[in-house]
Amino acid sequence: MSLDENAEKGAHAYSLLKAYRPFPDVSDELLDPEGRVRRVWRPFLDHLSSLSAEDILERFARGNQYLNDAGVYFRQYGQDGANEREWPLSHIPVIISQDDWQVISEGLIQRAELLEHVVADLYGQNRLVADGFLPASLIARSPEWQRPLVGVTPKSGHFLHFLAFEIGRGPDGTWWVLSDRAQAPSGAGFALENRVATGRVFNEFFAKANVHRLASFFRRFRDQLVDLRGEPDSRVSILTPGPLNDTYFEHAYIARYLGFMLLEGEDLTVENGRLMVRTVAGLRPVSVLWRRLDSAWIDPVEMNETSQIGTPGLVQAVRQGAVTMINALGTGILETRALLAFLPRISEHLIGEQLKLPNVATWWCGEAATRSYVKDHAETMMFSPALSTALPFASAQTDFIGKDFHRLNQGVLDSWIDSKAGDLVAQEAVTLSTTPAYQDERLVPRPMSLRVFLARTARGWEVMSGGFARIGRTEDASAIAMQAGGSAADVWIVGGKKPVKETLLHQIESPFFKAQSGTLPSRAADNLFWLGRYVERAEGAVRLLRAYHARLLETADPDAPLVAQTAEFLDKIGVAPDHPVPAGLCDMLQAAVGSAGKVRDRFSVDGWLALNDLAQTANGARRTMRESADVTRAMGLLLRKITGFSGLVHENMYRFTGWRFLSIGRALERAHRMADLLTEFTTADAPEGALELLLEVGDSAMSMSRRYAVSLSQSTVLDLLAMDAKNPRSVLYQLSDMKDHIEVLPGATDQGHLSDLARSVLQVHTSLAISTPETLTPEKLGELRDQIAYLSVELTDAYIR
C-alpha cells in the first residue's frame, strides 16, 4: 500500500474496527475527528490485523502468564477485606506520538517547577496566603498540612524529587491535568511490568518499533539518589508501610530493581539526630529515604500519635538535615483538590507564565461569587470535598456530577452548595478520551487516563517516556480505577530515531562503587531465619505424616502401638492426623509464605512462585482429599515440591548474610526436630518398628544398609541420625552447619573472643561430638533438644531485638 493510500486509511480498512464506534463528542486516541486511524497507530493496527483471533488470545495468555510468573498483583479492598488479585492488564497499549509527548512533557516539567515553588512558599515565607493567592483556611484545615515542617528547608534544597500526574484528553483533543501526585506517587514499578508483559505479547512488532525505553529514566533517578547521600558510607532506602499496603508489590519490585534496601518504620531508629537502620552488623546510617507512606504516619512523636508504622524522632532528623526525604514531608498538601482552582493564577504570579498544560477547570466554593457561578452551572460540574486528595473517579461515595443529583430541585441544590461552602469544590465534569481495548474478538473504545512520572535528575526534571494508563471496564468513566474493576495498559511513545537500548547497569563513564556489606536489616534477618524454620518444619511434618499413613494402611488399626505413638507425636508438633492433610501443615506453609512476603525485595521471583505453589498445593489437597488411602502419594508430591523449593533457594541465592540466616533457621529446625524424634522413639519401651520409622523419616535407610554391616540397632540409628558428621539428616551435621554460618556473622567474635551465641553453638556441638551412642540416653537427647531450641532465643537476642 502506498504512503498516500495509507494516509487516507480509515477505520473501515481494519476488520477489527468494523464495530468500533467512538463515543459522541469524545476525543479518541485511535481515530482522528474525521474517523481515520491516527498515523502513529497504523503500523500497530497493520500488525494486529495480520493475526488471527486465536493468535491474539494466545499472545494475551503469554503476557498474563508472565505477570503470574512474576507474581505481579494488586491488593483489592472489599466487603470481605483485602485480597491479592491478579494484575488486570489491558493488552492493547496506548500509543502516543513523540510530538504529542513532547508537548505533554514540556507542560508537566513546567508544572513540576511550579509545584516546587508553591510548596517551598507554603513551608517557608507563606507569601501566597499573605498576598491573597490562597485562602488561609484551605491550607490550615487540610490534614496534609504538616505544621512541624514549617520553616524546615530540605537537606537537598528541593522539596520534590519524584512526581506523578494524572492526565486526560478532553473532547477538543487538549490534554488536561486531572490530579497532581506529590505525596508518595505509586505506579512506576507497575509501568515497568506492564512494559515487559506487553512487549512479550507483541514481541516481534515491539522489537522493530521505535518505542522509547524506560530504563534510562530509572537509571538516572537512581544515580541522583545515590549522589544525594553526601556520605559514602550511608545508604539509600525505600520506606514502605508493609505487606498489607495495596501497592506493596511495587515497593519490593522497585527496591530490587534499583538495588535499594526496603525498610519498614520499625527497621529505623534515630540516634544522636541521625537516621539509622538496624542491621545484623549494628546501626548503619541512612541519608536518603524514598518514602512510600504518607507524611502523617512517619513519626508518632510529632505527627499522628496513633501511627504504628512510623519511626519516633524521624521528623527531628529531617529538621536537623540528617536525611533527605523523597519527597519532603508535607508535600501531600499539593494533592489537595481545591488547590487546582488557584494554580493558573499562581503560575502567572510565581513564574510569569500561563500553564502550558492546564488542569481541569476547578472552582472552590468558599467565595460568594464563585458559589453563584457554580450554582448556575451545577449540571455540568462534578462536586467533591475541597480537601480531598483522592484521584478523580476514585470515590463514588463523595464525588458526584450535578446532573445526576436528580433527587433535589435547583433550590435544594443551591442551599446544599451554600451549606458546604468552603468544604466543597466543583470541577468541570471531565469527559475522558477513549482508547481501544480488545473485547469479544474486536476493538472497542474505553475511557482512559494516563499517569505520567517525573524524576529530578542531574539533568533537571526528566519525564518517563511512557507511563501507566488506566482503562475503564465499561463506557462509564467512573470505572477506570482498578478498585472499581478497571485495568492497566502500557503506554508507548513512538517516533524519532531508533531508541538506544539501555539498562540499569552503570555505563563506562559512571563511577564505580562497591556494594556495601553488612546491610541486612534485623527484621529481614528475622524473617529469613523463620522462613528457613517454617519450610523445614513443614518438610519434617510431611515426612512423618507419610510414614504414619503408610503404617496405618498396613495395620488398619489406629490403636496399634507405633501408629498411636506417631499420632501422639504429630499432635504434639501441631499436625494432628485428624485429616489426611492437617490444617497445621497448611498453617506452617502459610507462615512460610508470610515470612517470605515480608522480604520480597530479597527473594527471587522463582523462589516466591515455588513457595506459593507449595502452599496452594497443600490447601488444594486439604479441600479435595477425604480418605487416607492416597495420602502417601499426596505427601510424596508435597515433599518433592518442598525439596524442589529448598534446592532452588540453595542453588540460586547469593551467599550473603541473608542466605546465612535462612540456612541457620533451616539447620536449627532440622536438628531440633531430629533430636525430638530420637528422644521419643529410642526409649526402652519404644514400640516395634520405631527404629525403621526413624530411618524413613530421616531419609537414611539406604545409608544405614551401606554404612553398617551389622543388623539394625538403637546404637546404629543413634550413630547415623545423631552423630554422623557426613549425614545431612543428622543432628551433628546440622549443628556443624549452624556453627560454620554463625562464625562468619557480624559480631561473631570481639577482639578474638567468641560471642555468646557462637560460644553456645560450639558448646552444644562439642557436647554431642564427644558423645557415644551408648551415652545418648533419651534423657541426654531431651537435654540436647532443649539446648538446640534455646539457640533460637540467643540468636534473636544477638541480632534481632
Side-chain angles (χ1 to χ4, degrees):
M1 183 175 289
S2 70
L3 182 62
D4 291 338
E5 291 173 317
N6 194 43
E8 297 300 322
K9 187 178 290 186
H12 63 275
Y14 298 98
S15 60
L16 286 168
L17 296 179
K18 288 182 177 178
Y20 197 86
R21 299 288 182 268
F23 304 163
D25 302 321
V26 173
S27 177
D28 186 76
E29 295 302 314
L30 177 65
L31 304 181
D32 65 19
E34 287 72 39
R36 294 173 300 189
V37 176
R38 298 181 190 271
R39 183 179 297 274
V40 73
W41 279 88
R42 292 172 191 164
F44 177 76
L45 261 291
D46 289 339
H47 173 72
L48 190 64
S49 297
S50 70
L51 304 174
S52 68
E54 291 77 15
D55 287 338
I56 291 174
L57 292 179
E58 182 179 336
R59 289 165 179 269
F60 287 1
R62 187 163 65 199
N64 293 340
Q65 188 61 54
Y66 164 77
L67 293 170
N68 289 334
D69 290 346
V72 184
Y73 72 91
F74 78 104
R75 195 174 299 280
Q76 188 174 45
Y77 298 93
Q79 294 180 347
D80 299 328
N83 297 297
E84 290 184 5
R85 299 295 178 87
E86 294 181 355
W87 186 246
L89 178 68
S90 182
H91 303 86
I92 305 299
V94 176
I95 304 178
I96 300 175
S97 71
Q98 178 179 267
D99 291 340
D100 278 354
W101 196 252
Q102 182 64 30
V103 172
I104 292 171
S105 298
E106 290 176 0
L108 293 182
I109 289 174
Q110 179 207 48
R111 194 176 186 88
E113 288 293 343
L114 173 62
L115 293 180
E116 175 71 33
H117 287 303
V118 170
V119 72
D121 176 80
L122 290 177
Y123 287 100
Q125 294 183 345
N126 207 13
R127 297 305 310 171
L128 291 175
V129 171
D131 296 341
F133 288 92
L134 281 173
S137 63
L138 195 65
I139 303 302
R141 292 189 299 113
S142 172
E144 299 302 333
W145 172 245
Q146 305 300 340
R147 295 181 185 276
L149 277 304
V150 173
V152 177
T153 302
K155 178 184 177 183
S156 66
H158 298 289
F159 286 80
L160 302 173
H161 293 269
F162 194 85
L163 293 169
F165 297 96
E166 203 77 16
I167 66 173
R169 196 197 291 262
D172 62 353
T174 302
W175 287 99
W176 298 79
V177 174
L178 306 176
S179 179
D180 303 306
R181 314 311 295 172
Q183 173 83 269
S186 63
F190 291 122
L192 281 169
E193 288 289 33
N194 285 345
R195 171 58 54 87
V196 177
T198 307
R200 294 196 179 190
V201 172
F202 302 108
N203 57 318
E204 303 100 328
F205 178 81
F206 184 84
K208 300 176 182 178
N210 289 346
V211 179
H212 294 203
R213 303 301 197 252
L214 306 181
S216 61
F217 172 85
F218 287 97
R219 178 169 58 81
R220 283 190 274 273
F221 182 51
R222 180 200 60 188
D223 292 348
Q224 177 68 7
L225 295 185
V226 171
D227 289 344
L228 286 174
R229 292 178 304 159
E231 305 169 353
D233 66 331
S234 65
R235 287 148 180 82
V236 180
S237 300
I238 297 176
L239 182 62
T240 175
L244 295 181
N245 185 264
D246 57 344
T247 57
Y248 177 74
F249 166 83
E250 184 194 30
H251 304 170
Y253 178 86
I254 288 290
R256 187 167 57 241
Y257 185 69
L258 299 180
F260 296 151
M261 283 194 297
L262 183 65
L263 305 177
E264 296 182 29
E266 65 183 277
D267 295 324
L268 295 165
T269 186
V270 177
E271 291 281 337
N272 299 320
R274 299 187 71 192
L275 185 63
M276 312 292 281
V277 57
R278 296 182 176 94
T279 78
V280 296
L283 298 178
R284 294 292 184 268
V286 173
S287 56
V288 180
L289 196 61
W290 185 2
R291 63 182 179 90
R292 302 305 301 271
L293 72 161
D294 293 351
S295 300
W297 305 100
I298 282 283
D299 184 346
V301 175
E302 298 203 48
M303 305 296 230
N304 190 325
E305 63 183 12
T306 67
S307 174
Q308 297 183 15
I309 56 176
T311 303
L314 183 50
V315 170
Q316 183 61 23
V318 170
R319 191 177 288 123
Q320 294 181 4
V323 59
T324 296
M325 300 294 291
I326 311 294
N327 286 323
L329 298 177
T331 50
I333 189 70
L334 297 173
E335 298 183 359
T336 305
R337 194 169 297 185
L339 192 63
L340 296 175
F342 305 94
L343 282 180
R345 184 171 171 234
I346 290 174
S347 177
E348 295 181 359
H349 170 67
L350 288 182
I351 62 177
E353 299 174 354
Q354 291 185 341
L355 291 174
K356 296 179 181 179
L357 204 65
N359 51 246
V360 60
T362 306
W363 297 267
W364 178 59
C365 297
E367 299 170 337
T370 302
R371 282 199 305 276
S372 178
Y373 178 86
V374 168
K375 293 173 188 176
D376 292 341
H377 300 82
E379 289 190 358
T380 65
M381 295 186 179
M382 181 179 73
F383 294 88
S384 59
L387 300 180
S388 172
T389 59
L391 287 171
F393 313 111
S395 181
Q397 290 76 23
T398 57
D399 299 352
F400 67 90
I401 297 177
K403 67 179 181 180
D404 296 332
F405 207 9
H406 54 80
R407 295 164 303 168
L408 302 178
N409 61 40
Q410 187 62 44
V412 175
L413 181 57
D414 289 351
S415 176
W416 178 81
I417 293 174
D418 285 332
S419 69
K420 294 295 183 181
D423 293 329
L424 191 67
V425 69
Q427 293 182 294
E428 179 182 357
V430 178
T431 302
L432 294 175
S433 65
T434 55
T435 193
Y438 192 82
Q439 180 178 308
D440 299 327
E441 299 184 4
R442 63 191 179 96
L443 294 178
V444 296
R446 289 291 178 260
M448 170 211 73
S449 71
L450 295 185
R451 174 162 289 200
V452 186
F453 301 93
L454 276 72
R456 190 186 294 278
T457 71
R459 304 179 179 185
W461 284 109
E462 184 164 339
V463 181
M464 182 193 292
S465 294
F468 175 94
R470 300 173 190 270
I471 311 297
R473 174 171 50 91
T474 65
E475 298 180 5
D476 181 7
S478 65
I480 66 172
M482 285 186 292
Q483 295 290 343
S487 56
D490 190 18
V491 180
W492 290 2
I493 311 305
V494 178
K497 297 180 180 179
K498 187 174 181 62
V500 177
K501 187 174 182 180
E502 296 192 62
T503 71
L504 279 189
L505 298 177
H506 282 276
Q507 306 301 307
I508 295 176
E509 69 273 11
S510 301
F512 172 80
F513 62 93
K514 192 172 183 179
Q516 297 159 323
S517 60
T519 55
L520 179 68
S522 298
R523 179 185 52 83
D526 188 35
N527 281 293
L528 288 167
F529 170 71
W530 278 101
L531 172 60
R533 291 202 66 174
Y534 286 135
V535 171
E536 183 60 35
R537 188 174 294 179
E539 180 181 338
V542 166
R543 289 183 180 277
L544 195 55
L545 282 165
R546 184 173 65 170
Y548 166 80
H549 284 283
R551 282 152 183 78
L552 183 60
L553 286 173
E554 291 174 2
T555 63
D557 180 9
D559 295 324
L562 183 58
V563 174
Q565 183 169 343
T566 306
E568 183 179 343
F569 187 88
L570 286 166
D571 185 42
K572 184 185 79 169
I573 64 173
V575 286
D578 53 359
H579 186 282
V581 182
L585 176 60
C586 296
D587 291 343
M588 289 176 186
L589 292 171
Q590 198 55 50
V593 171
S595 292
K598 295 174 182 177
V599 286
R600 283 288 297 270
D601 59 314
R602 298 175 179 274
F603 213 64
S604 74
V605 172
D606 287 336
W608 173 253
L609 291 173
L611 187 58
N612 271 282
D613 178 60
L614 176 59
Q616 291 168 8
T617 300
N619 286 321
R622 177 169 174 78
R623 289 192 300 269
T624 59
M625 191 169 292
R626 293 291 177 264
E627 303 294 333
S628 62
D630 294 329
V631 74
T632 54
R633 180 179 58 82
M635 290 299 120
L637 173 63
L638 287 175
L639 184 59
R640 289 191 293 275
K641 290 198 172 190
I642 291 175
T643 54
F645 165 79
S646 298
L648 178 70
V649 171
H650 181 77
E651 289 298 322
N652 296 337
M653 199 168 182
Y654 187 82
R655 269 41 175 176
F656 71 140
T657 309
W659 171 77
R660 296 194 183 279
F661 275 90
L662 181 72
S663 300
I664 290 169
R666 181 184 179 190
L668 188 149
E669 187 66 35
R670 181 174 292 186
H672 179 265
R673 179 55 50 83
M674 182 53 69
D676 199 10
L677 280 166
L678 292 172
T679 301
E680 297 289 336
F681 288 90
T682 59
T683 59
D685 58 350
E688 183 180 354
L691 297 180
E692 288 85 349
L693 181 138
L694 287 171
L695 290 176
E696 181 180 336
V697 173
D699 198 19
S700 298
M702 186 178 297
S703 298
M704 172 63 70
S705 63
R706 292 182 176 180
R707 183 84 168 77
Y708 302 94
V710 298
S711 60
L712 180 66
S713 68
Q714 180 170 303
S715 294
T716 55
V717 169
L718 287 171
D719 187 53
L720 182 62
L721 296 181
M723 304 181 60
D724 195 323
K726 296 181 180 180
N727 182 9
R729 293 286 165 182
S730 79
V731 179
L732 184 63
Y733 182 98
Q734 297 303 325
L735 287 174
S736 297
D737 195 38
M738 286 180 61
K739 183 170 69 71
D740 291 343
H741 286 302
I742 288 172
E743 284 177 351
V744 294
L745 288 181
T749 59
D750 182 16
Q751 297 181 351
H753 299 287
L754 293 177
S755 67
D756 291 342
L757 174 62
R759 187 180 300 109
S760 295
V761 173
L762 180 60
Q763 288 174 341
V764 177
H765 178 272
T766 303
S767 176
L768 178 59
I770 63 175
S771 299
T772 66
E774 291 73 26
T775 61
L776 284 180
T777 63
E779 292 74 22
K780 179 72 173 178
L781 287 166
E783 292 175 7
L784 175 65
R785 173 195 60 199
D786 295 342
Q787 290 169 347
I788 294 171
Y790 191 70
L791 292 176
S792 179
V793 176
E794 294 192 272
L795 182 137
T796 300
D797 288 341
Y799 293 104
I800 310 302
R801 291 179 181 173

